Amino acid sequence: MGEKPYRKGKELSVEDKQIIDLYWVRSETAISETANRYGRYCHSIAFNILHSHEDSEECVNDTFFHAWKTMPPQRPNKLSAFLGTITRNLSLNKWEQYSTEKRGLGQVPLALEELQDCIPALENVEQVADDLTLTEILNHFLSTLPKDRRKIFMRRYWYMCSIKEIAKGYSMSESKVKMSLLRSRNELKQLLEKEGFNL
Amino acid sequence: MKEKRLLKALGQVDQKYIEEAAPEQHSKKADWLKWGVLAACFAIVAVVGLGLLLQSSDLMPSHQGGETMIENSSFTIHCLSESGTIESKTIEVQNTPKDIFDEWTKLNNISDVKFVNCVYDDYGTERTQGGSVKRSTGGYSSLSLTVSGEFPKYASDKNGVLLIETLRRTFYDYNRFDELNLMIQNLTDSKIFHDIVEPGMQADDGKSLVWEGISEREIDGAECYTFELRYSEDESINGEMAGRLLGIYAVSKDGVKFYQYNMADDTWE
């Protein structure tokens, strides 16, 4: 059986291709088309981190500007994830600039607290992982998780969705979401320790 | 902070995982249209709960079994006026769900929406021969009304909620229920109807199935939604079949054509 062209994620949708083409021909409608299609998506990512509509809007606009600067030469395979990654990075950077008081809002402090579970114990550490290696380990870790648990993990620590929101999104109880996250965090910790990495 | 580094490093993971976990971002209107077609024949598009305790009521003649006299009676039909308010009219009509429904579509000027099926499920209710019902403690009833695929186009505009409310009131007056399940049938081919499983439903052998991989493509010049039917990832039920593909299907956006993907020949049939 050949490559299946209909599979979700195997191929860009027509609309994404058209939008990317607009960037490549330097048409300014690229921005408005992107805003129409992915404005809400990017805004929700920013808002989960920043907890401010005004700042989120700024990050989303910066995302489109960044996309304009990087396409071409870039031609992303998944436009939504490409834009979302930019928004997430910009939002986390902005979050770091917040005052301590404002930084307490949103899901980031909670997510960070939870991620402390994943930090390997010092006695097992042999080397400090560089960023590239760390991403590789995380990719490997995600590939080993069952799909449902992976989606919950990504919703929490990539999209910074609240536990309540995830529970609602996947029609499960909040305690089940928490349990799933706990198991995933423990497995990540074990993997990091097994690989002998410090962070 | 180490955990902050972890959080940032996660931002660079493979985009497939980011896309896979993306929260739903579509509008309510899109929900109507997508699910209406996606489920191939049936999709629950609105569940209107009432939470009222029922009193004794008469069963619908067409569903009580045995001999039934169908006769004209006075019924209250609710409809949406031009000014967008709900009005009620009392009409002499045959005592069947179809006739009631047809009157409702006439009054709402949406006669192209057709009645398909109506099932009254009264869990915990004891029936008696005479057609009256006695409610046992804790009973809960639902009325499942299936209508044709034209309905979403009326129900998805700004007055859609009110339109559904008129339908709910009309059938509530006709036969009291706790919950109305409104379903849309897009395909009338009964063969397809029997072959397809609703989302979240189980196969005959008890294994759970899911729809996945929803996308759009053109087949024979028709714009279609395509989707896969898989065993769900629940290993405790599906065992080694968990996550496996059963088949790939497509339904044209107008709900008229239905295709199955032939993997061997790479064709849609």
Side-chain angles (χ1 to χ4, degrees):
Chain A
M1 195 174 71
E3 189 78 356
K4 293 187 289 176
Y6 43 79
R7 280 297 302 275
K8 187 183 180 185
K10 283 277 174 189
E11 182 179 79
L12 284 174
S13 65
V14 174
E15 292 86 348
D16 281 356
K17 268 185 188 157
Q18 285 168 347
I19 292 173
I20 294 167
D21 287 344
L22 288 173
Y23 279 101
W24 275 65
V25 298
R26 309 313 285 159
S27 163
E28 285 179 15
T29 49
I31 306 273
S32 56
E33 288 297 324
T34 309
N36 281 342
R37 199 164 159 81
Y38 294 111
R40 280 181 62 196
Y41 169 75
C42 292
H43 189 277
S44 68
I45 294 169
F47 188 79
N48 283 344
I49 295 169
L50 298 169
H51 215 68
S52 151
H53 284 296
E54 200 184 337
D55 290 349
S56 301
E57 205 48 54
E58 198 183 316
C59 276
V60 173
N61 288 334
D62 287 350
T63 300
F64 299 153
F65 180 61
H66 197 91
W68 179 258
K69 283 196 299 183
T70 49
M71 288 189 286
Q74 290 209 46
R75 188 173 265 283
N77 286 325
K78 296 176 198 305
L79 187 58
S80 61
F82 173 77
L83 295 166
T85 304
I86 299 172
T87 308
R88 186 180 184 271
N89 289 341
L90 291 173
S91 304
L92 280 174
N93 288 342
K94 195 179 232 345
W95 179 82
E96 283 189 315
Q97 293 161 14
Y98 274 1
S99 64
T100 317
E101 191 186 337
K102 211 176 172 187
R103 213 180 286 152
L105 300 169
Q107 291 297 317
V108 181
L110 299 170
L112 285 173
E113 199 182 321
E114 289 167 23
L115 284 175
Q116 284 178 359
D117 292 354
C118 310
I119 312 294
L122 279 174
E123 56 267 30
N124 296 326
V125 170
E126 285 171 15
Q127 57 175 306
V128 175
D130 61 49
D131 287 347
L132 204 61
T133 317
L134 187 55
T135 305
E136 271 175 25
I137 295 173
L138 285 170
N139 273 330
H140 172 65
F141 162 70
L142 289 170
S143 73
T144 59
L145 285 184
K147 190 176 172 187
D148 288 348
R149 267 215 278 144
R150 182 168 64 228
K151 280 160 82 174
I152 292 171
F153 187 88
M154 288 294 282
R155 276 276 179 103
R156 181 68 180 143
Y157 303 117
W158 199 96
Y159 287 97
M160 316 283 184
C161 292
S162 66
I163 305 275
K164 191 176 177 184
E165 217 175 321
I166 300 169
K168 198 177 163 202
Y170 292 127
S171 306
M172 49 171 67
S173 68
E174 289 183 35
S175 57
K176 200 172 170 193
V177 173
K178 283 181 192 166
M179 185 53 72
S180 162
L181 288 169
L182 181 69
R183 284 176 63 192
S184 301
R185 289 197 304 267
N186 285 340
E187 282 173 27
L188 177 57
K189 184 183 179 180
Q190 280 169 12
L191 181 68
L192 288 168
E193 284 181 347
K194 193 178 138 205
E195 298 290 328
F197 278 119
N198 191 7
L199 292 170
Chain B
M1 284 160 77
K2 291 171 180 177
E3 57 272 21
K4 203 186 281 180
R5 191 163 168 235
L6 201 55
L7 197 72
K8 283 198 169 180
L10 198 63
Q12 306 305 320
V13 295
D14 195 320
Q15 293 188 340
K16 68 183 177 195
Y17 301 131
I18 301 169
E19 192 185 45
E20 177 186 72
E24 298 286 323
Q25 291 291 326
H26 48 234
S27 64
K28 280 189 175 175
K29 183 176 177 182
D31 270 345
W32 268 99
L33 298 174
K34 188 175 84 176
W35 281 104
V37 177
L38 170 123
C41 3
F42 286 135
I44 294 172
V45 290
V47 178
V48 188
L50 251 185
L52 293 177
L53 285 173
L54 295 192
Q55 296 159 356
S56 294
S57 62
D58 289 332
L59 274 179
M60 290 181 294
S62 55
H63 293 286
Q64 71 189 46
E67 290 180 23
T68 306
M69 287 282 287
I70 295 178
E71 54 191 24
N72 278 3
S73 307
S74 288
F75 284 103
T76 309
I77 311 286
H78 300 267
C79 62
L80 204 54
S81 71
E82 282 182 8
S83 59
T85 55
I86 295 179
E87 292 177 350
S88 312
K89 289 181 183 160
T90 305
I91 289 177
E92 283 278 312
V93 61
Q94 277 205 344
N95 186 7
T96 75
K98 182 181 184 309
D99 289 289
I100 304 268
F101 186 83
D102 288 347
E103 285 301 323
W104 175 79
T105 57
K106 254 189 247 169
L107 285 176
N108 283 290
N109 292 320
I110 52 170
S111 296
D112 56 334
V113 182
K114 303 293 177 214
F115 174 89
V116 179
N117 193 21
C118 181
V119 176
Y120 181 67
D121 203 342
D122 50 347
Y123 314 101
T125 303
E126 294 167 8
R127 300 179 185 216
T128 61
Q129 280 250 276
S132 62
V133 290
K134 262 187 188 172
R135 177 150 293 278
S136 58
T137 314
Y140 189 79
S141 67
S142 69
L143 188 93
S144 299
L145 188 63
T146 308
V147 302
S148 69
E150 286 80 12
F151 187 53
K153 73 183 176 202
Y154 299 108
S156 56
D157 73 6
K158 62 182 166 54
N159 283 330
V161 175
L162 289 175
L163 186 66
I164 295 170
E165 178 61 17
T166 64
L167 182 64
R168 191 190 64 75
R169 286 189 192 181
T170 300
F171 273 83
Y172 185 75
D173 287 348
Y174 173 53
N175 194 88
R176 299 278 193 261
F177 51 79
D178 291 303
E179 185 180 81
L180 173 68
N181 298 321
L182 183 56
M183 297 184 276
I184 309 296
Q185 179 171 332
N186 281 291
L187 298 178
T188 50
D189 186 333
S190 63
K191 182 172 170 289
I192 293 169
F193 165 58
H194 289 299
D195 282 349
I196 297 293
V197 187
E198 278 186 49
M201 294 292 283
Q202 292 177 341
D204 289 345
D205 55 3
K207 295 191 187 304
S208 66
L209 302 169
V210 289
W211 294 104
E212 261 194 13
I214 304 142
S215 61
E216 296 174 20
R217 67 179 292 117
E218 197 179 299
I219 301 169
D220 295 345
E223 291 278 312
C224 294
Y225 292 102
T226 65
F227 42 88
E228 301 171 357
L229 188 60
R230 286 178 178 276
Y231 286 105
S232 79
E233 303 259 349
D234 189 344
E235 288 178 15
S236 60
I237 299 171
N238 288 340
E240 62 176 15
M241 296 305 284
R244 288 206 191 174
L245 184 67
L246 268 164
I248 298 145
Y249 305 91
V251 182
S252 61
K253 287 187 179 176
D254 56 12
V256 174
K257 289 180 183 163
F258 178 80
Y259 301 93
Q260 182 165 11
Y261 183 69
N262 183 330
M263 296 185 204
D265 304 337
D266 191 24
T267 53
W268 292 90
E269 295 165 350

